[in-house]
Amino acid sequence: MSSATTTTGRPAVAAAPAPGALRTALRRPAARKVLLIALLTAVAAPFAAARWGSGSWPSGLTVALDGPLGKANDWIIDNRDSHWLFLYFFGHVSNAVIVSVRAVYTVLLALGWAGVTAGAGLLAWRVAGRRAAVTAVASFAVCGLLGMWVPTMRTLALMTVAVAASVAVGALLGLAAGLSDRMFRVLRPVLDTMQALPAFAYLLPVVLVFGIGVAPAVLATVVYAAPPMARLTALGLRGTDKGVLEAVDSLGATGRQRLLTARLPLARRELLLGVNQTIMMALSMAVIASVIGADGLGDRVYQALSTVDVGSALAAGVPIVLLAIVLDRITAGSPTPRQGPARRGRTLTLWAAGAAATALVATAARLLGGQSWPDGWTVAIARPVNTAKDWMVDHLYSGVPGVGGTADWAAHYTGWVLDPLRDGLQSLPWWGALALVAALAWLIGTWRTALTAVLSLAAIGVLGRWDASMDTLSQVLAAVAVTLVLGFAVAVAAARSPRVDRLLRPVLDVFQTMPQFVYLIPVVALFGIGRAPAAAAAIVYALPAVVRIVSQGLRQADPAALESARSLGATGGQQLRQVQFPLARASLLLAVNQAVVLVLSVVIIGALVGGGALGYEVVFGLAQGDLATGLVAGTAIACLGLMLDRVTQPTKPKEAN
Amino acid sequence: MTRKVKAAVLAAAVGLMATATGCGAADMTKQSSPYANAAGAKTVTLSVQSWVGARANTAVAQYLLEHELDYRVDTVQVDEVPAWDALSQGRVDAMLEDWGHPEQEKRYVQDKKTVTDGGDLGVTGHIGWWVPTYFAEAHPDVLDWRNLDKYASQLRTSESGGKGQLLDGSPSYVTNDKALVKNLKLDYQVVFAGSEAAQITQIKQFAKDKRPFLTYWYEPQWLFNQVPMTEVKLPAYTDECAEKGTADPSTVDCAYPTTPLKKYLNTEFTKKGGKAARFLKKFHWTKEDQNEVAQMIAEDKLPADEAAKRWVQRHPDVWKTWLD
């Protein structure tokens, strides 16, 4: 199985002169695809080259959007305070958001620190058991101890509203897509775009329409966090067991009964996972949204960044991680078994008792002390953290005997990997790049995915961002390569030793939820300014997902196959190479795809430490209120993401329709 | 069945629109932060820009507003251009340090009249190119732009592609450096650090190794106390050059101007802001004052309010006049 699938097209093309070999090679579909693309290119390229040249994307084929986007920008600013669209629509939307956030925040303030902590503990206990309750109580206590109580409450209020809105929007979209094939087809590219467009890129239009503050932050979060809910809802509804549906039909159920009694309950797992994913996505926006004045923990991280204060950034970042862990445990908690009427009554009583207990604790604490976290009960971690960071930088930056300092590594990475890769990509003729992408995407997917990939790449050229995109692409490819090498190595260790796996799990949790802004400064301090620190940040961010997916794939390899390999006397390495890796092929491909997607999503953040290229243009657009620059660069990143996704995501033919 | 669902979705959408549009106009300029006035206190919202000097202004203003005038102060970190927009919308009440944005000034102060000039901050800002003083002392002729090419090879980094590196900062800063490098025909590459934090970290790293560097930087800045730097002379700033630059920024070939930094207030706030608005208009201090606070925040890592408190205790003579 493995030998057939790992064949690439290249040997087939090289073997072209020998007719016998050609015929055998052509029997393979992959070779036929490559040959067809090669033929097409050979026919079209001379014309394209003669007409438009063959360097980077020809200027004759670009469309300048600066003019119209600039005009749109000015129109919005001039009409924002008077046009009906703003007064009677956007105004009410933002008003609703503000009123809701305010309501939640007022409740949290009224509960006070004791009430919130007790309430969270009881909720976690009811939904997910005792361990989750302990985690919840301890986490809120740590938020208070770090002196972050008020920002944590602000973030929590914002998150509550944003998650509720995202779940509502996502569930509605998912319901439509789950029940109607046409909606499913229409929505898929929309959701793809929402997820591919970097979060930074939608901050700009949202700020333009809604101004800065909490309302635009919530709305930007919804755009970012609703797609997973929509996808999983649709997936759950579409995946309903046909047998069950037929049984329900035969009982004469109406459409609505069928939906409420069969399809939705059966999709429960997916729906819960959707809520869980939405929460995680929304939390990861908490810091990014602080760039447009979202306040709360994100703002503390962002302000600490501006004074190069890693310790304070960490003190504000830890509560974000803890919130993520608590919310994850609560929403991913063991699903309670189906309940009869008697149990439901008991459940209601228990919930009421929980609410009463929370209120009691809140009132008691209020009478005894006050609502805000006591001033004396804080632990200042900023200073020791900064000292530790300074020590690391002092000792690792340069002149480490034998291996060289981190600054040298950064220079080597830039000079030996990034520069040649960038120069290579930028000197590729534009039609050659299109052909290459077409071939890769078609080999791994269908002609539809190949078409999407080629059109995305062409769109980048048409937008006039070819060179910058090739620069970004080189950074992404290099970082993905490093991520995969490291990720596979760690995953193999984790898959083989349960102890490593156990030790690794909390580390991965932290790195997956820690806001990237927190480690930007240490990364600069270690690697200097430029593309190398940006790559380091991207690798840190993408690594946990790769490790998780790969080690799970390896562990799930059929035990029987492993056992028989072992009985044949295969060494550990042989087992790994010849049994586990081939069996985990699907997981490995998914890991590659995720690495690409996650690394790309850090491109803009990387621009804050000198990554340059497209990311810089997006940040520039936001900082200078320049819609044309920011949005076009953001779109180019989205196109790049779509292209990379199609090139790395194997699509089964039946999914392609 | 699908038709029913579609109808339901449509009805929900119409319902949402109806609730959204049915109850009169909603003026977005009247929507403040949901956290404002949460405990029934009067709130002032100040915008903070990403550099530390701006944080120093805000920290002191915040401390005095809270402790002397009994306001609650919220701060929002936004870049300058979005801050203008936020001021106009009333999302923030004041911006204490603007480095000169003629286009925004025309749009909001003169045309829409939603933003009001709040007077000078008292600090004069200057942007330029700087080299570390240890390098300037060893090679005094580097201080003239005409000799910069001689040192390009020493200032090369892995990011500057064979040329010398001119380190630039955050994308939100006013900069003509790309045009300058091109028009003065210098053998340099502008490398954007992407944020001031990254730029400061890099400068400190260079300084620790006593390596030469050339950077876009500005006064007033607390980092000068840590890493002494000397300015490189560029062709003199002239009105003619400025006019040319306003028409087409890519033609600029002279130094940056010296800008008295200004405060801007939301117009409505100037009318209704009472004591807070009067106080913010009077706020006026010197470069030394600002650096003193900035240094405490950025270098000694004091929380901003602690730094402000120390300055306030040391300089009652300065701030007492702002309260009258």
Side-chain angles (χ1 to χ4, degrees):
Chain A
M1 167 196 156
S2 65
S3 67
T5 43
T6 48
T7 312
T8 59
R10 240 166 245 291
V13 176
L22 180 66
R23 214 168 298 134
T24 4
L26 276 186
R27 244 172 252 143
R28 292 195 173 131
R32 278 207 298 274
K33 288 178 182 175
V34 170
L35 199 70
L36 188 61
I37 297 275
L39 272 176
L40 272 178
T41 314
V43 173
F47 290 106
R51 175 76 176 74
W52 293 293
S54 45
S56 71
W57 190 268
S59 59
L61 290 179
T62 57
V63 176
L65 289 178
D66 297 25
L69 280 176
K71 275 203 196 96
N73 194 348
D74 288 341
W75 185 86
I76 294 175
I77 292 177
D78 289 338
N79 290 283
R80 198 169 41 195
D81 305 335
S82 53
H83 197 268
W84 62 267
L85 184 65
F86 293 90
L87 289 180
Y88 293 98
F89 184 69
F90 291 133
H92 284 291
V93 172
S94 88
N95 204 15
V97 170
I98 289 174
V99 169
S100 325
V101 174
R102 196 184 169 84
V104 178
Y105 184 59
T106 315
V107 170
L108 290 174
L109 278 189
L111 282 174
W113 65 270
V116 170
T117 310
L122 286 166
L123 180 72
W125 177 55
R126 275 304 299 141
V127 176
R130 199 172 304 154
R131 280 182 64 164
V134 174
T135 314
V137 170
S139 300
F140 275 102
V142 171
C143 296
L145 282 174
L146 288 172
M148 287 291 154
W149 188 260
V150 172
T152 306
M153 288 306 108
R154 289 183 173 191
T155 296
L156 195 57
L158 191 145
M159 293 299 307
T160 310
V161 173
V163 168
S166 307
V167 167
V169 170
L172 271 179
L173 291 178
L175 204 61
L179 297 180
S180 141
D181 283 332
R182 194 185 297 159
M183 272 309 279
F184 183 67
R185 273 200 301 277
V186 172
L187 270 180
R188 235 178 75 147
V190 176
L191 294 179
D192 277 348
T193 319
M194 278 162 87
Q195 282 191 307
L197 205 63
F200 255 88
Y202 12 97
L203 293 185
L204 184 56
V206 171
V207 166
L208 201 57
V209 172
F210 292 96
I212 61 153
V214 172
V218 167
L219 294 168
T221 309
V222 170
V223 177
Y224 186 66
M229 185 70 203
R231 270 182 212 279
L232 284 158
T233 308
L235 184 73
L237 289 177
R238 299 180 79 80
T240 322
D241 189 347
K242 292 282 177 310
V244 177
L245 280 188
E246 271 168 28
V248 176
D249 274 344
S250 70
L251 291 172
T254 64
R256 189 193 315 182
Q257 281 170 340
R258 199 160 84 136
L259 180 67
L260 292 179
T261 59
R263 296 187 85 168
L264 279 180
L266 284 174
R268 198 190 140 100
R269 278 175 66 96
E270 280 83 2
L271 293 181
L272 272 177
L273 185 63
V275 174
N276 178 275
Q277 285 301 301
T278 297
I279 291 178
M280 293 302 136
M281 303 278 285
L283 260 173
S284 73
M285 266 298 272
V287 176
I288 295 178
S290 69
V291 174
I292 55 170
D295 211 325
L297 292 168
D299 188 62
R300 296 301 182 95
V301 174
Y302 189 49
Q303 293 207 19
L305 183 73
S306 74
T307 48
V308 205
D309 186 348
V310 185
S312 301
L314 192 69
V318 167
I320 295 181
V321 174
L322 293 175
L323 274 186
I325 291 175
V326 170
L327 291 171
D328 180 63
R329 297 290 185 274
I330 292 181
T331 49
S334 54
T336 33
R338 209 153 293 167
Q339 297 150 349
R343 288 208 56 180
R344 197 167 291 163
R346 221 185 108 213
T347 318
L348 259 181
T349 330
L350 271 173
W351 280 113
T358 308
L360 197 71
V361 172
T363 327
R366 195 172 198 173
L367 292 176
L368 287 174
Q371 286 144 286
S372 57
W373 187 266
D375 281 338
W377 297 7
T378 54
V379 182
I381 64 156
R383 200 169 281 270
V385 169
N386 284 324
T387 318
K389 183 215 94 187
D390 289 343
W391 182 90
M392 247 173 58
V393 171
D394 285 345
H395 292 81
L396 301 178
Y397 185 68
S398 55
V400 180
V403 289
T406 46
D408 306 329
W409 297 0
H412 293 330
Y413 179 75
T414 311
W416 296 347
V417 181
L418 283 175
D419 285 348
L421 195 57
R422 180 185 62 187
D423 297 346
L425 285 173
Q426 283 180 341
S427 60
L428 208 62
W430 60 277
W431 42 265
L434 290 180
L436 194 66
V437 164
L440 285 174
W442 202 12
L443 275 180
I444 200 160
T446 63
W447 66 271
R448 276 169 197 270
T449 51
L451 191 66
T452 318
V454 170
L455 286 180
S456 314
L457 190 64
I460 292 173
V462 170
L463 288 173
R465 289 296 183 277
W466 187 266
D467 281 340
S469 298
M470 289 300 136
D471 187 353
T472 297
L473 182 61
S474 72
Q475 295 180 39
V476 170
L477 293 180
V480 165
V482 178
T483 309
L484 290 178
V485 170
L486 288 177
F488 276 43
V490 177
V492 166
R496 311 194 80 184
S497 148
R499 184 182 305 155
V500 173
D501 185 48
R502 252 199 322 278
L503 285 176
L504 215 54
R505 207 173 297 158
V507 179
L508 295 182
D509 268 344
V510 167
F511 275 113
Q512 241 174 348
T513 42
M514 183 62 83
Q516 298 124 8
F517 281 31
V518 174
Y519 46 80
L520 280 185
I521 290 305
V523 157
V524 172
L526 286 175
F527 300 103
I529 288 286
R531 286 164 291 158
I539 292 163
V540 171
Y541 183 64
L543 202 54
V546 171
V547 170
R548 283 223 159 101
I549 295 170
V550 173
S551 69
Q552 191 172 10
L554 291 180
R555 226 175 295 123
Q556 277 171 353
D558 188 3
L562 260 186
E563 195 50 52
S564 63
R566 215 171 286 141
S567 68
L568 289 172
T571 62
Q574 282 171 336
Q575 284 172 34
L576 199 64
R577 275 194 309 278
Q578 288 165 5
V579 182
Q580 281 181 303
F581 271 139
L583 283 179
R585 183 168 174 271
S587 306
L588 301 189
L589 283 173
L590 180 64
V592 173
N593 178 261
Q594 283 303 295
V596 167
V597 171
L598 291 173
V599 164
L600 190 72
S601 74
V602 190
V603 158
I604 294 180
I605 311 272
L608 296 178
V609 292
L614 288 178
Y616 178 81
E617 289 183 31
V618 176
V619 179
F620 175 89
L622 191 60
Q624 298 283 354
D626 182 346
L627 188 68
T629 308
L631 205 59
V632 169
T635 313
I637 295 181
C639 290
L640 206 58
L642 212 56
M643 187 272 281
L644 284 169
D645 183 65
R646 290 302 182 267
V647 171
T648 54
Q649 191 181 55
T651 318
K652 292 184 207 108
K654 71 171 191 281
E655 278 177 9
N657 312 316
Chain B
M1 174 201 72
T2 40
R3 197 170 297 159
K4 251 184 197 167
V5 173
K6 263 184 218 158
V9 170
L10 193 70
V14 170
L16 193 74
M17 291 284 284
T19 45
T21 55
C23 40
D27 188 349
M28 274 196 275
T29 63
K30 300 281 184 297
Q31 294 169 348
S32 55
S33 158
Y35 312 124
N37 306 320
K42 294 174 290 180
T43 306
V44 177
T45 310
L46 300 176
S47 90
V48 201
Q49 280 74 56
S50 60
W51 56 93
V52 191
R55 289 197 68 195
N57 306 327
T58 321
V60 170
Q62 174 173 12
Y63 185 85
L64 290 171
L65 279 167
E66 285 180 344
H67 292 87
E68 299 291 326
L69 296 173
D70 281 333
Y71 280 87
R72 243 195 68 81
V73 178
D74 273 335
T75 56
V76 191
Q77 179 160 326
V78 260
D79 290 319
E80 273 170 301
V81 176
W84 271 94
D85 198 39
L87 262 183
S88 155
Q89 282 213 303
R91 295 294 165 87
V92 298
D93 295 320
M95 162 164 68
L96 297 179
E97 185 174 317
D98 180 72
W99 280 69
H101 289 86
E103 206 179 298
Q104 311 288 333
E105 232 171 289
K106 184 177 177 313
R107 170 176 271 158
Y108 295 114
V109 179
Q110 289 161 25
D111 295 350
K112 300 181 86 171
K113 299 196 169 37
T114 47
V115 176
T116 303
D117 188 331
D120 285 343
L121 172 70
V123 179
T124 301
H126 176 64
I127 298 171
W129 291 1
W130 311 72
V131 289
T133 306
Y134 52 76
F135 186 58
E137 277 164 0
H139 310 276
D141 62 339
V142 74
L143 296 177
D144 187 327
W145 67 272
R146 275 171 287 240
N147 301 327
L148 276 177
D149 275 356
K150 247 169 68 185
Y151 295 96
S153 61
Q154 289 190 51
L155 297 168
R156 207 162 47 201
T157 67
S158 58
E159 281 299 323
S160 62
K163 301 176 176 180
Q165 170 174 290
L166 169 57
L167 187 63
D168 253 54
S170 149
S172 64
Y173 294 171
V174 178
T175 170
N176 306 321
D177 283 1
K178 276 193 165 169
L180 277 169
V181 166
K182 197 183 89 206
N183 297 332
L184 300 178
K185 300 190 177 56
L186 294 174
D187 184 25
Y188 279 80
Q189 171 80 34
V190 183
V191 173
F192 287 92
S195 59
E196 185 179 290
Q199 195 182 7
I200 290 178
T201 308
Q202 177 74 83
I203 289 177
K204 281 182 165 176
Q205 206 63 272
F206 280 145
K208 204 162 62 195
D209 298 349
K210 288 272 183 278
R211 274 188 60 185
F213 62 85
L214 173 68
T215 185
Y216 166 105
W217 206 232
Y218 62 91
E219 270 188 319
Q221 234 293 348
W222 57 276
L223 188 68
F224 284 108
N225 302 348
Q226 276 227 326
V227 182
M229 288 185 258
T230 314
E231 191 175 358
V232 174
K233 212 177 257 133
L234 289 169
Y237 175 80
T238 58
D239 290 342
E240 188 199 354
C241 168
E243 258 167 54
K244 197 168 62 170
T246 324
D248 179 6
S250 68
T251 60
V252 174
D253 55 5
C254 63
Y256 292 90
T258 298
T259 324
L261 305 182
K262 299 198 68 163
K263 296 170 289 174
Y264 286 95
L265 274 62
N266 173 276
T267 303
E268 190 125 326
F269 174 72
T270 39
K271 289 178 193 144
K272 297 184 182 155
K275 276 198 243 165
R278 277 203 301 281
F279 163 80
L280 288 172
K281 272 193 190 161
K282 281 192 183 153
F283 190 104
H284 188 275
W285 63 351
T286 62
K287 175 180 144 184
E288 288 72 31
D289 288 321
Q290 195 192 51
N291 274 346
E292 191 180 332
V293 181
Q295 169 96 28
M296 283 191 272
I297 296 174
E299 208 34 55
D300 310 338
K301 303 276 186 252
L302 287 185
D305 64 329
E306 179 61 30
K309 185 177 166 190
R310 290 193 188 177
W311 182 88
V312 164
Q313 281 166 354
R314 277 182 225 152
H315 303 274
D317 50 312
V318 181
W319 57 264
K320 283 275 200 264
T321 59
W322 306 342
L323 295 176
D324 307 332

